[in-house]
Amino acid sequence: MSGRRRLDWLGLTPEPERELPTAVAALRASSSSTATPRTAEELAVAERRRVERLILRGSRHSWLRYLAEVTDLVTGVAAGSRTGDPATALLAGEVVLDHHRMLIGLPGPGYGRTATDRTALEGAVRTLRTHIRTGGSR
């Protein structure tokens, strides 16, 4: 094997890098009980840096692990086991779900590895859309 780093997992649309940091920061903040409160802007900047680091220096594995964390946040809000804005969770869920669906066209095991998360996100997105459409009644 050559010393070249495989970057085929970076066949991404811009949405994960552009939209996820702010949404994920908001979801994390809504359920966080840190002793040192940070502003929404500080949290979004920190999340943006994390995503940037993952894209520039990470691997397929670390990127998919990050998206699994986002999936947990989204499915928690949808299930009612985590606090958070349903519209924000829906945005994050749709971005990650679109990403995972597009993996079918990329080389490597990404599509297969995300099958469980795709299924969970499909249900969460359906639930969140219904929740938003009906004004919050379950």
PDB file of all heavy atoms in Angstrom, residues 30-46:
ATOM      1  N   SER A  30     -28.386  22.649  24.624  1.00  0.00           N
ATOM      2  CA  SER A  30     -29.714  22.505  25.224  1.00  0.00           C
ATOM      3  C   SER A  30     -29.767  21.400  26.274  1.00  0.00           C
ATOM      4  O   SER A  30     -30.641  21.387  27.125  1.00  0.00           O
ATOM      5  CB  SER A  30     -30.767  22.248  24.144  1.00  0.00           C
ATOM      6  OG  SER A  30     -30.545  21.004  23.531  1.00  0.00           O
ATOM      7  N   SER A  31     -28.813  20.489  26.228  1.00  0.00           N
ATOM      8  CA  SER A  31     -28.818  19.408  27.213  1.00  0.00           C
ATOM      9  C   SER A  31     -27.555  19.402  28.066  1.00  0.00           C
ATOM     10  O   SER A  31     -27.295  18.450  28.777  1.00  0.00           O
ATOM     11  CB  SER A  31     -28.981  18.062  26.507  1.00  0.00           C
ATOM     12  OG  SER A  31     -27.900  17.835  25.655  1.00  0.00           O
ATOM     13  N   SER A  32     -26.800  20.484  27.968  1.00  0.00           N
ATOM     14  CA  SER A  32     -25.544  20.556  28.703  1.00  0.00           C
ATOM     15  C   SER A  32     -25.759  21.200  30.067  1.00  0.00           C
ATOM     16  O   SER A  32     -26.554  22.112  30.223  1.00  0.00           O
ATOM     17  CB  SER A  32     -24.532  21.380  27.899  1.00  0.00           C
ATOM     18  OG  SER A  32     -23.353  21.538  28.642  1.00  0.00           O
ATOM     19  N   SER A  33     -25.022  20.707  31.035  1.00  0.00           N
ATOM     20  CA  SER A  33     -25.080  21.300  32.375  1.00  0.00           C
ATOM     21  C   SER A  33     -23.669  21.626  32.836  1.00  0.00           C
ATOM     22  O   SER A  33     -23.270  21.281  33.936  1.00  0.00           O
ATOM     23  CB  SER A  33     -25.755  20.337  33.341  1.00  0.00           C
ATOM     24  OG  SER A  33     -25.039  19.126  33.395  1.00  0.00           O
ATOM     25  N   THR A  34     -22.911  22.284  31.957  1.00  0.00           N
ATOM     26  CA  THR A  34     -21.532  22.598  32.298  1.00  0.00           C
ATOM     27  C   THR A  34     -21.479  23.701  33.340  1.00  0.00           C
ATOM     28  O   THR A  34     -22.351  24.557  33.413  1.00  0.00           O
ATOM     29  CB  THR A  34     -20.739  23.047  31.053  1.00  0.00           C
ATOM     30  OG1 THR A  34     -21.356  24.222  30.527  1.00  0.00           O
ATOM     31  CG2 THR A  34     -20.682  21.957  30.014  1.00  0.00           C
ATOM     32  N   ALA A  35     -20.447  23.669  34.146  1.00  0.00           N
ATOM     33  CA  ALA A  35     -20.276  24.655  35.200  1.00  0.00           C
ATOM     34  C   ALA A  35     -19.919  26.022  34.627  1.00  0.00           C
ATOM     35  O   ALA A  35     -20.211  27.041  35.227  1.00  0.00           O
ATOM     36  CB  ALA A  35     -19.202  24.193  36.177  1.00  0.00           C
ATOM     37  N   THR A  36     -19.270  26.046  33.468  1.00  0.00           N
ATOM     38  CA  THR A  36     -18.906  27.310  32.856  1.00  0.00           C
ATOM     39  C   THR A  36     -19.736  27.508  31.598  1.00  0.00           C
ATOM     40  O   THR A  36     -19.393  26.986  30.528  1.00  0.00           O
ATOM     41  CB  THR A  36     -17.406  27.342  32.491  1.00  0.00           C
ATOM     42  OG1 THR A  36     -17.120  26.205  31.678  1.00  0.00           O
ATOM     43  CG2 THR A  36     -16.535  27.318  33.727  1.00  0.00           C
ATOM     44  N   PRO A  37     -20.844  28.234  31.715  1.00  0.00           N
ATOM     45  CA  PRO A  37     -21.717  28.425  30.555  1.00  0.00           C
ATOM     46  C   PRO A  37     -21.005  29.225  29.458  1.00  0.00           C
ATOM     47  O   PRO A  37     -20.237  30.141  29.734  1.00  0.00           O
ATOM     48  CB  PRO A  37     -22.900  29.210  31.115  1.00  0.00           C
ATOM     49  CG  PRO A  37     -22.461  29.752  32.420  1.00  0.00           C
ATOM     50  CD  PRO A  37     -21.305  28.926  32.894  1.00  0.00           C
ATOM     51  N   ARG A  38     -21.236  28.811  28.230  1.00  0.00           N
ATOM     52  CA  ARG A  38     -20.662  29.486  27.077  1.00  0.00           C
ATOM     53  C   ARG A  38     -21.797  29.986  26.216  1.00  0.00           C
ATOM     54  O   ARG A  38     -22.884  29.423  26.206  1.00  0.00           O
ATOM     55  CB  ARG A  38     -19.773  28.516  26.298  1.00  0.00           C
ATOM     56  CG  ARG A  38     -18.557  28.071  27.119  1.00  0.00           C
ATOM     57  CD  ARG A  38     -17.889  26.850  26.567  1.00  0.00           C
ATOM     58  NE  ARG A  38     -17.266  27.086  25.271  1.00  0.00           N
ATOM     59  CZ  ARG A  38     -16.697  26.134  24.558  1.00  0.00           C
ATOM     60  NH1 ARG A  38     -16.661  24.898  25.002  1.00  0.00           N
ATOM     61  NH2 ARG A  38     -16.158  26.399  23.390  1.00  0.00           N
ATOM     62  N   THR A  39     -21.526  31.037  25.476  1.00  0.00           N
ATOM     63  CA  THR A  39     -22.555  31.589  24.599  1.00  0.00           C
ATOM     64  C   THR A  39     -22.783  30.648  23.421  1.00  0.00           C
ATOM     65  O   THR A  39     -21.929  29.814  23.098  1.00  0.00           O
ATOM     66  CB  THR A  39     -22.140  32.972  24.052  1.00  0.00           C
ATOM     67  OG1 THR A  39     -21.024  32.798  23.176  1.00  0.00           O
ATOM     68  CG2 THR A  39     -21.808  33.936  25.180  1.00  0.00           C
ATOM     69  N   ALA A  40     -23.923  30.843  22.778  1.00  0.00           N
ATOM     70  CA  ALA A  40     -24.236  30.029  21.604  1.00  0.00           C
ATOM     71  C   ALA A  40     -23.175  30.231  20.526  1.00  0.00           C
ATOM     72  O   ALA A  40     -22.774  29.276  19.848  1.00  0.00           O
ATOM     73  CB  ALA A  40     -25.614  30.396  21.075  1.00  0.00           C
ATOM     74  N   GLU A  41     -22.701  31.451  20.403  1.00  0.00           N
ATOM     75  CA  GLU A  41     -21.658  31.735  19.405  1.00  0.00           C
ATOM     76  C   GLU A  41     -20.357  31.009  19.730  1.00  0.00           C
ATOM     77  O   GLU A  41     -19.713  30.443  18.845  1.00  0.00           O
ATOM     78  CB  GLU A  41     -21.403  33.241  19.322  1.00  0.00           C
ATOM     79  CG  GLU A  41     -20.261  33.564  18.411  1.00  0.00           C
ATOM     80  CD  GLU A  41     -20.587  34.651  17.431  1.00  0.00           C
ATOM     81  OE1 GLU A  41     -21.726  35.106  17.384  1.00  0.00           O
ATOM     82  OE2 GLU A  41     -19.677  35.018  16.703  1.00  0.00           O
ATOM     83  N   GLU A  42     -19.947  31.001  20.993  1.00  0.00           N
ATOM     84  CA  GLU A  42     -18.723  30.298  21.390  1.00  0.00           C
ATOM     85  C   GLU A  42     -18.844  28.802  21.122  1.00  0.00           C
ATOM     86  O   GLU A  42     -17.900  28.171  20.643  1.00  0.00           O
ATOM     87  CB  GLU A  42     -18.430  30.525  22.878  1.00  0.00           C
ATOM     88  CG  GLU A  42     -18.001  31.930  23.217  1.00  0.00           C
ATOM     89  CD  GLU A  42     -17.939  32.171  24.712  1.00  0.00           C
ATOM     90  OE1 GLU A  42     -18.718  31.563  25.474  1.00  0.00           O
ATOM     91  OE2 GLU A  42     -17.093  32.983  25.124  1.00  0.00           O
ATOM     92  N   LEU A  43     -20.004  28.247  21.430  1.00  0.00           N
ATOM     93  CA  LEU A  43     -20.229  26.822  21.187  1.00  0.00           C
ATOM     94  C   LEU A  43     -20.196  26.506  19.692  1.00  0.00           C
ATOM     95  O   LEU A  43     -19.625  25.502  19.274  1.00  0.00           O
ATOM     96  CB  LEU A  43     -21.559  26.380  21.792  1.00  0.00           C
ATOM     97  CG  LEU A  43     -21.616  26.395  23.313  1.00  0.00           C
ATOM     98  CD1 LEU A  43     -23.050  26.212  23.783  1.00  0.00           C
ATOM     99  CD2 LEU A  43     -20.713  25.330  23.897  1.00  0.00           C
ATOM    100  N   ALA A  44     -20.800  27.373  18.885  1.00  0.00           N
ATOM    101  CA  ALA A  44     -20.807  27.152  17.432  1.00  0.00           C
ATOM    102  C   ALA A  44     -19.397  27.244  16.856  1.00  0.00           C
ATOM    103  O   ALA A  44     -19.025  26.444  15.996  1.00  0.00           O
ATOM    104  CB  ALA A  44     -21.732  28.154  16.756  1.00  0.00           C
ATOM    105  N   VAL A  45     -18.598  28.189  17.334  1.00  0.00           N
ATOM    106  CA  VAL A  45     -17.217  28.326  16.867  1.00  0.00           C
ATOM    107  C   VAL A  45     -16.419  27.068  17.225  1.00  0.00           C
ATOM    108  O   VAL A  45     -15.667  26.541  16.401  1.00  0.00           O
ATOM    109  CB  VAL A  45     -16.557  29.599  17.446  1.00  0.00           C
ATOM    110  CG1 VAL A  45     -15.055  29.582  17.246  1.00  0.00           C
ATOM    111  CG2 VAL A  45     -17.175  30.839  16.814  1.00  0.00           C
ATOM    112  N   ALA A  46     -16.591  26.585  18.448  1.00  0.00           N
ATOM    113  CA  ALA A  46     -15.881  25.378  18.877  1.00  0.00           C
ATOM    114  C   ALA A  46     -16.298  24.177  18.029  1.00  0.00           C
ATOM    115  O   ALA A  46     -15.452  23.368  17.616  1.00  0.00           O
ATOM    116  CB  ALA A  46     -16.139  25.107  20.356  1.00  0.00           C
TER     117      ALA A  46
END
